[in-house]
Amino acid sequence: MRKLLLPLSAVVLVMGARDLHAQSRSISGRVVGSDGAKLPGVTVLVKGTSLGTATDVEGRYTLPAPAGATTLVFSFVGYTSQEARIGDGPVNITLEASTTSLDEAVVVGYGTQSRRDLTGSVATITGKEISNTPVQSFDQALQGRASGVSITTPNGVLNNPPVIRIRGANSIALSSSPLFVIDGIPTYSGNNSAVGSVPNNPLANIAPEDIENIEVLKDASATAIYGSRANGGVILVTTRRGKKGQARLSYDTWVGISKPIRLFDMLNAPEYVNIKNEAVRNLNANRLAATGTVGTNAQGFNLADAAGNAYDTRWYDYIYRTGVSQSHNLNFSGGTDKTTYLTSVGYTKQKGMLVRNDFRRFSVRANVEHKLFDRLTVGARVNYANSLNSSPNSGSVGDGAFGTAGLGRLPLVLPPNISPYNPDGTYNTNGAGLGAGPNINPTSTTGAALLPGYYNPVVDLDNNYFTSESNSLQGALYADLEVIKGLHLRTQYGIDNLNFEDKAYYTSLAGDGFSLGGQAIDYFRTNKRWNWQNTAQYDRSFGEHNLSLLAGNEQQYTEVQRWGANRTGVADPFFTTYQGNYLNIAAAGNSQGASYLASFFGRFTYNYAHKYLFTATGRRDGYSAWAQKFGNFYGLSAGYIVSEEGFWKNAGFAKAFDYLKVSGSFGTTGNNQGIYDFVSLPLYGSFLYGNSGTFYYTQGANQNITWEKSKKTDASIAFGFLDSRLTGDVTYYHNLVDGLILDVPQAPSRGIPGNSIPANVGSMRNRGFEFNLRYNVLQDKAFTWTVSGNLTTLNNEVLALLDDTQRIAGATSGLETANYTTVGRSIGSILAVPNAGVNPANGQRMLVRADGTRVQYNHLGTSGTGWTIVNADGSTGANTTSPTQLADGVYYGPVLPTWYGGFDNNFRYKGFDLGVFIQFSGGNYIYNGTKSGLHDQRFWNNSTDILNRWTEDNKNAEWPRVVFNDNVSNGSTIIMSQNVEKGDFARLRNVALGYTIPSKALSKLKLSSVRVYVQAQNLALVTKYSGIDPEISVNGGSNLAPGVDRNSVGQARTYTAGLNVSF
Amino acid sequence: MTYSFRKRVAAMACTALLGLGTFSCQNDLLNVKPVTLLDANLAFDTPSRVLAQVNGLYSYVKVGGFLGGRYQIYGDIRANDFINRTSNSVTGLAVWNHTLAETSANDVVSVWGNAYAAINQVNIFLAGLDANADKFKTSTFTSVYPNGFEPTAINYRAEARLLRALCYYSLLQLYARPYIDGNGSRPGLPLRLAAETGLGNNNLARSTVAQVYDQILLDLNFAEQNLPLRYSATQGGAAVSTLNVTRAHRNTAIALKSRVYLTMGRYADVVTEANKLVPTAAPYVTTAGVANGLNSSITAVFTAPQETSESILAFPFSAQDPPGTQNQLAFYYLPASLGGGGEYGLNTATGGIYASTAFLSTDVRRTSFIAPVTTVTNGVSRTEYFLSKYPTGSPFTDKAPVIRYSEVMLSLAEALARNTNTVDSRALALLNAVRMRSNPAIAASGTTPAIPSPMFVATDFASVNAFIDAILLERRIEFLGEGIRNIDLMRLTATIPAKGTVSAIPSTAANYVWPIPSTELSTNNAMTRN
């Protein structure tokens, strides 16, 4: 967007140049950017005068300078201004791009503003910071890049949408995700795939290399213009455009490899057999003690089967791999006085660390703008992308945490003494599951084999597939007419059409498809949207009074449809696609939705001498889902640039402390993201009873439900020291979300469909500070060093729910409820029964009741429940009942990080550049459910720390005495604090070392710039968290069940090497 | 380009923008409606929609998580005839080994929720019938309803109430103490009888077990009086033969009443009800209404489409309307080699019905419904035994049985024995009728010796109790896998027997009945734990 300002400054200065007195010598030269590209439109001024000019399309300038002139000043929006002494020859200069210059243009809703005049809270991330990163969608690369923006990568599956929370969780039942706007058109985000195993984030249809800038709108002043959709903040993406000047061809490429890290150390076969047989012996001892009869459970775990086949399988080896990825982006851009254009073609193919987790995208973009008449500009932006994501069942997305096919879980559960293959090379299966190998079921009375029930992952990986392919066409056509000077009428019509074909295939050999005789499911989904915006913008200055007025109308209609079918009973294993032949077919996944938003909005900005700043914004939205259609939203803000005052400018400290601005804002926004399109209508659904059609009640008329409303308050101080070498800001934010829509739980005995009714009943507050600091430590010509960092604090508290006693449960995959949301606590806090460790006297797990009583568990070790009271001296007391989470649990929270941020170091020495980026986060608790599984005493494998279990010889042990089939002591049955851990971490997210080949060497090759680099992602992680990754969320963006780690796969480490070439 | 032309273009564009854009807001789009869901106000507009709602009530009761599979499965696996093979907590492990918690999602929480969801659908339907009663009147000249719809509406009302009774009865068997424990004075269920649609009304205390049974009998008596005698014309795409099994008729209400009274220990009432269906002597076929009777072949009863006249009520499935993953009866019981999931195998140890001497090796129910599967693992051969009563693998379209004629006969036999406190001859005849159809005497042929008739005679029983035990044992054999076992244990407060490493559960134990789900406790402040 900063390029839009270019023609203006050039025109002004060229006109100024006409008045020059032709009395002096002529100075000429050439201006290039730090990447070696020529820079047209750079302002060149003779210092201390108003004499100046602008560079031409080749970056050249010629300037008649007065005899006494000694210095030239070069300035250009988006670049650091530079001075140069006038010598004898041409004055050639290289300008450094500045990323957060105070004067850069900032994209705001329906327009731009200069950062200096801005009173709202807007963070800018340049495309440069995120391009060349091995991600599938740009939002995955935003971690730690902007204050106030918390981004969690929920797992290591490709194209999984990151969880984005701007200034905390802004909703409970709806989505807290920000609104994404691409070049002015709101787009789709979140997982749109119908197949649980494979995620599909529509934002992956934008090639990161096509992005010029990303702005994050955070406070009410900045977001109110988006009104009812802005509670979670707004992320504006501006794609790259052509620049005036000679045509330019660039090619960016990288190749990389991804590997898993921090995998758990699991027991090998001999250790497994020992531990499990010990558990059986302990079970027998328990049975004898409890019933007086000798337990007859067999020590059925064996290293080799009767035929002598012995295996020591590391299941990880079949599931993880080193994935090779590549990316290519070719773009061609340029422009004349009238027309600018940019076209780009991109291709990326990425292979994840999980076998069969592959992503590829093919994208084409064309951005064109043409000045039709003097006052009429027309333009178009079109992006087409085809992306295909395939993933095995990782158990990490789509409620799959407890699936018997989940690849996050299988290597933790499956016995190491079983091989995935039979000795003859065939798959080792029994029915749907993995074969028993040498293990005999200890509790069987007939010596039956111990069938794991879990699937053989090799069968699934070899035969099943899950894919989500999308075709995205995003485009907009716009026209801008300057009716009178300063008054722009603009109309923009955009479409955002996206379709998905989601496929699942399950072999009949084993696994999920076994009992179905093989299965193929195909879904087709279309998202269709049109968006029409009409705005009138008037900018005018009267003396020192600068004002800007915007009025507009926006309409948006969105229709989502999906249909599909499920075919089972494959006629022959030859058929591996949906189109093959099957015995049965049933409809699957049909759905339909439509919504319409009609809006009127306005913005008034005023400043006096760029010193006193004021902005008022209002929006009136009408939304089809509500019974009462319309709602109003507004934002007010004011700022004062103290350093613009005369007293400041003339003060002695002005050189050292050159910039100070205070600003504040207040306003309201709304949220409807995730609400059902027809939530206010009384409806009946239809299904089948055998072969007859049915109608049944699905929901009552919900007349009162409306937007969740946020009251956002901001206060900010921005400063610049040492000629703005050190800049920064501190912001306090306070966001009160009222009228939270809660799926108010209904007593299941009422029989309300879904056992809940949405209503605007809750209230929640997020508050905290944001700090940004940027320091150009060294600005030597040869060596530069820039440090920047940001830190955000967050205090989240639920203020009101239906009533003060309400506890809203958040379940993981519908099976395990660790999180409860209650009044007075942070959202989704973990409720766990306190752990009192292992009783040294008998090796039993001890938990603490709400009344302080310690109780201990001995699996099948008493005639009752197995629970007994622990006397003060550690001896065993009376039989008792099991402690329960609801009665005895203690809250651990918050589960959202209370502090997070990023720390970026950029070094440049001659042609070399080095970037070191650290992301950090903490203050939160994680429910590490995986840990309970890792120590479960069913036949499941355990992590090696189980070797430190209680035995007669090891009484001060970390883990309880192992008893076969005990799934209570380590947390699989009762949520216990043993598995609640702090989630603090610092991650070396990105290290990039590049070398830009000197332009002298290139000119012979007709190249304008070449940079080669190597890069490592996720190179190091510092954390005390014992799970696979502290940045994890098995429930994705769920607000009610965040911070849960259950059988998920962690993040990969990726190394890439790349090349950027321009011709 | 002249200035005036530019001006005109500007003026035109300006007008167009203001006219089309700035003031536009399309009202029809602001009121966009769904195309796959029906406006509730139109739900009672035509006879076919009302019928579709009746079918909707059945479909709610027969969801896989309730009477479409899991309820029946839980009724069997609580006891000792089956062994859990997969240790999968999703497929009833905690039901099998009695470690259910109030948070157990797939059983404790799910069955409760599914049953009450069905109950509320019934209540909403009944309220809708009331609200739209005027439309059904024959005098309404604009009505789309045909003359004679009013009695049809009453038939529907009776079906709805029968289903509500079935739901409450089924819930009582899991979540409340047996009736004979204090004559129904123990805590029962929250009795929801009104349509629930909006916010509020969460708190409702438990009625006593007796009060819930009273309501069940009220509903069943209404059903008996108002249900059609039989279905004689196709409806909503279902054939008459199907309707007589999958939709309630008068016999259905009577049969269910015989089960309810038996569960309550009101044996005289069992006799009264069962006598309406069971003649005093063979052939055992009902004379009024649907000709329900004892089929000559048990295998025919369970051969698809399971629509013999012995099935009084069973719930249908189709490829389009399957029971859902991990809910299917066949999936639980059939071995993998026959297309099931082999979740549960028969307990071959002493105590299990498989090992019972009363369950003869030649019994058709053994030879036809039990499938041995021999696997050779690592050179060692083992045989396991599976119930194959539900023979159809994917897409699992076997009907889920609710009540069969033979159950009414055996209930009558037991009630007669208990009432008369003798080895009643009619009771003995009923027992033998059920037993002998699956145990025909086989004459000698060639070198194969004859197999004598296993028919019981009165002198086989040392006491009335021994006779009653024989009836109960016959019920175990006859209804294996049909969900009756739990009812038979609990109505007599019998101990749930031990199996494998799982201990016996005496009737005094807390886990003799299921816990009340945490979802109810956390929302209904008047609710109390078991």
Side-chain angles (χ1 to χ4, degrees), chain B residues 49-94:
Chain B
R49 284 184 189 163
V50 181
L51 173 60
Q53 288 187 61
V54 175
N55 281 316
L57 303 181
Y58 284 93
S59 74
Y60 257 78
V61 179
K62 72 116 209 189
V63 291
F66 187 37
L67 279 155
R70 283 200 183 241
Y71 178 83
Q72 288 89 335
I73 290 159
Y74 297 151
D76 275 285
I77 64 173
R78 284 200 90 196
N80 60 337
D81 291 335
F82 291 94
I83 292 292
N84 180 291
R85 295 178 71 248
T86 57
S87 299
N88 185 349
S89 61
V90 176
T91 52
L93 175 66

Side-chain angles (χ1 to χ4, degrees), chain A residues 907-945:
Chain A
F907 305 90
R908 180 184 293 278
Y909 178 71
K910 296 196 170 156
F912 291 94
D913 60 88
L914 172 68
V916 179
F917 179 63
I918 294 165
Q919 167 214 3
F920 54 86
S921 162
N924 59 310
Y925 286 93
I926 298 174
Y927 175 64
N928 185 355
T930 309
K931 195 171 163 186
S932 72
L934 283 171
H935 303 94
D936 193 286
Q937 287 311 320
R938 283 170 267 188
F939 65 84
W940 302 3
N941 201 1
N942 296 136
S943 72
T944 51
D945 60 355

Side-chain angles (χ1 to χ4, degrees), chain B residues 271-402:
Chain B
V271 174
T272 310
E273 296 301 330
N275 275 341
K276 296 176 189 169
L277 300 183
V278 183
T280 49
Y284 295 108
V285 176
T286 306
T287 50
V290 177
N292 293 120
L294 187 72
N295 198 286
S296 57
S297 157
I298 184 69
T299 52
V301 173
F302 285 93
T303 303
Q306 295 107 353
E307 286 176 2
T308 66
S309 58
E310 179 158 335
S311 292
I312 300 175
L313 181 63
F315 291 134
F317 295 99
S318 67
Q320 305 294 314
D321 176 26
T325 308
Q326 293 178 321
N327 292 330
Q328 317 94 331
L329 285 154
F331 178 79
Y332 278 72
Y333 295 132
L334 271 191
S337 56
L338 295 178
E343 297 286 333
Y344 290 83
L346 284 163
N347 179 11
T348 53
T350 311
I353 194 66
Y354 181 87
S356 167
T357 52
F359 194 9
L360 302 180
S361 62
T362 50
D363 193 314
V364 176
R365 294 166 296 190
R366 188 188 283 273
T367 56
S368 293
F369 291 158
I370 292 181
V373 175
T374 302
T375 47
V376 180
T377 313
N378 311 325
V380 182
S381 161
R382 289 186 198 88
T383 303
E384 291 179 272
Y385 298 89
F386 295 88
L387 182 72
S388 57
K389 201 176 224 174
Y390 307 104
T392 314
S394 176
F396 301 103
T397 48
D398 293 322
K399 287 193 173 59
V402 177

Side-chain angles (χ1 to χ4, degrees), chain A residues 601-617:
Chain A
F601 54 86
R603 178 169 57 214
F604 172 69
T605 20
Y606 167 81
N607 73 67
Y608 178 76
H610 300 285
K611 194 155 58 175
Y612 310 110
L613 319 166
F614 174 77
T615 304
T617 310

Side-chain angles (χ1 to χ4, degrees), chain B residues 242-508:
Chain B
T242 303
L243 291 170
N244 282 329
V245 175
T246 60
R247 297 264 302 275
H249 43 83
R250 195 174 68 182
N251 289 352
T252 320
I254 297 166
L256 283 178
K257 271 203 284 177
S258 75
R259 182 192 282 180
V260 170
Y261 283 128
L262 186 75
T263 312
M264 297 170 78
R266 287 168 61 171
Y267 302 113
D269 293 311
V270 177
V271 174
T272 310
E273 296 301 330
N275 275 341
K276 296 176 189 169
L277 300 183
V278 183
T280 49
Y284 295 108
V285 176
T286 306
T287 50
V290 177
N292 293 120
L294 187 72
N295 198 286
S296 57
S297 157
I298 184 69
T299 52
V301 173
F302 285 93
T303 303
Q306 295 107 353
E307 286 176 2
T308 66
S309 58
E310 179 158 335
S311 292
I312 300 175
L313 181 63
F315 291 134
F317 295 99
S318 67
Q320 305 294 314
D321 176 26
T325 308
Q326 293 178 321
N327 292 330
Q328 317 94 331
L329 285 154
F331 178 79
Y332 278 72
Y333 295 132
L334 271 191
S337 56
L338 295 178
E343 297 286 333
Y344 290 83
L346 284 163
N347 179 11
T348 53
T350 311
I353 194 66
Y354 181 87
S356 167
T357 52
F359 194 9
L360 302 180
S361 62
T362 50
D363 193 314
V364 176
R365 294 166 296 190
R366 188 188 283 273
T367 56
S368 293
F369 291 158
I370 292 181
V373 175
T374 302
T375 47
V376 180
T377 313
N378 311 325
V380 182
S381 161
R382 289 186 198 88
T383 303
E384 291 179 272
Y385 298 89
F386 295 88
L387 182 72
S388 57
K389 201 176 224 174
Y390 307 104
T392 314
S394 176
F396 301 103
T397 48
D398 293 322
K399 287 193 173 59
V402 177
I403 194 159
R404 288 199 280 127
Y405 190 81
S406 56
E407 182 189 332
V408 183
M409 290 170 66
L410 290 178
S411 297
L412 177 58
E414 183 181 339
L416 287 168
R418 290 186 191 274
N419 254 356
T420 60
N421 200 26
T422 61
V423 183
D424 180 270
S425 62
R426 186 179 170 209
L428 186 60
L430 289 165
L431 171 63
N432 275 326
V434 174
R435 182 171 174 77
M436 294 311 296
R437 101 166 132 177
S438 299
N439 287 286
I442 297 171
S445 105
T447 55
T448 312
I451 294 172
S453 164
M455 182 182 287
F456 288 122
V457 292
T459 52
D460 288 342
F461 306 107
S463 65
V464 177
N465 277 343
F467 176 50
I468 291 171
D469 285 347
I471 297 172
L472 290 171
L473 203 55
E474 197 61 36
R475 286 171 68 95
R476 265 175 85 182
I477 298 167
E478 177 71 14
F479 304 119
L480 186 63
E482 295 179 58
I484 308 294
R485 182 80 196 286
N486 178 56
I487 300 170
D488 281 354
L489 288 168
M490 299 196 58
R491 66 186 166 92
L492 304 170
T493 56
T495 294
I496 301 173
K499 65 216 160 194
T501 50
V502 180
S503 302
I505 305 294
S507 70
T508 51

Side-chain angles (χ1 to χ4, degrees), chain A residues 345-364:
Chain A
V345 180
Y347 174 77
T348 184
K349 174 136 179 106
Q350 303 181 23
K351 288 177 178 288
M353 61 179 179
L354 278 174
V355 174
R356 289 194 89 152
N357 187 195
D358 302 329
F359 173 82
R360 76 143 171 72
R361 172 182 56 234
F362 175 75
S363 64
V364 196

Side-chain angles (χ1 to χ4, degrees), chain A residues 283 287 291 297 305-307 373-376 404 430-432 436-441 443 445-449 451-453 481 483 489-491 514-517 530 532 534-535 552-553 555 557 568-569 584-587 591-592 594-598 600 622-626 629-630 676-678 681-700 744-753 755 757-759 802 805 807 814-815 820 860 884-887 938-939 965 967 973, chain B residues 1 3 5-6 9-11 13-14 17 20-27 29-41 43-44 49 51-60 62 84-90 93 102-103 105-106 112-113 116-117 120-121 124 190 192 196-202 235-238 246-247 313-322 328 331 336-337 339-341 347-349 375 377-380 382 384 393-396 500-503 518-520 522-525 529:
Chain A
L283 176 64
R287 299 298 291 153
T291 64
N297 300 298
D305 63 21
F373 306 117
D374 219 14
R375 292 171 181 272
L376 181 63
T404 43
N430 184 312
N439 299 331
I440 306 300
N441 189 347
T443 61
T445 49
T446 59
L451 294 167
L481 177 71
V483 184
L489 295 185
R490 186 183 161 94
T491 184
F514 179 81
S515 72
L516 302 169
W530 59 257
W532 191 17
N534 295 291
T535 56
N553 162 255
Q555 296 177 65
Y557 182 71
T568 57
N584 309 297
I585 183 166
S591 69
Q592 177 260 344
S595 67
Y596 176 66
L597 182 76
F600 306 90
Y623 188 54
S624 58
W626 314 130
K629 303 292 178 191
F630 282 89
Y676 176 49
D677 284 344
F678 309 114
L681 300 173
L683 296 172
Y684 272 64
S686 181
F687 191 59
L688 293 171
Y689 175 59
N691 294 318
S692 305
T694 72
F695 269 121
Y696 57 93
Y697 173 85
T698 54
Q699 70 174 27
V744 178
Q746 302 302 304
S749 63
R750 296 189 67 215
I752 301 279
N755 291 328
I757 297 175
L802 188 61
T805 60
R807 298 201 265 210
L815 275 178
Y820 280 89
L860 296 178
T884 66
Q885 183 190 23
L886 285 178
R938 283 170 267 188
F939 65 84
N965 267 349
N967 63 353
T973 305
Chain B
M1 204 65 50
Y3 183 65
F5 177 73
R6 284 213 303 262
V9 170
C14 195
L17 282 182
L20 291 171
T22 313
F23 299 110
S24 78
C25 160
Q26 301 173 39
N27 262 319
L29 291 181
L30 263 184
N31 291 296
V32 62
K33 291 200 168 183
V35 297
T36 58
L37 296 165
L38 180 70
D39 188 324
N41 300 312
F44 284 88
R49 284 184 189 163
L51 173 60
Q53 288 187 61
V54 175
N55 281 316
L57 303 181
Y58 284 93
S59 74
Y60 257 78
K62 72 116 209 189
N84 180 291
R85 295 178 71 248
T86 57
S87 299
N88 185 349
S89 61
V90 176
L93 175 66
E102 60 193 38
T103 50
N106 287 293
W112 180 275
Y116 272 110
N120 195 36
Q121 291 287 338
I124 289 171
R192 302 269 186 189
E196 300 283 348
T197 56
L199 289 163
N201 263 354
N202 271 345
Q235 275 190 33
T246 60
R247 297 264 302 275
L313 181 63
F315 291 134
F317 295 99
S318 67
Q320 305 294 314
D321 176 26
Q328 317 94 331
F331 178 79
S337 56
N347 179 11
T348 53
T375 47
T377 313
N378 311 325
V380 182
R382 289 186 198 88
E384 291 179 272
S394 176
F396 301 103
T501 50
V502 180
S503 302
S518 58
T519 45
E520 184 72 25
S522 64
T523 47
N524 177 355
N525 294 330
R529 285 189 165 80

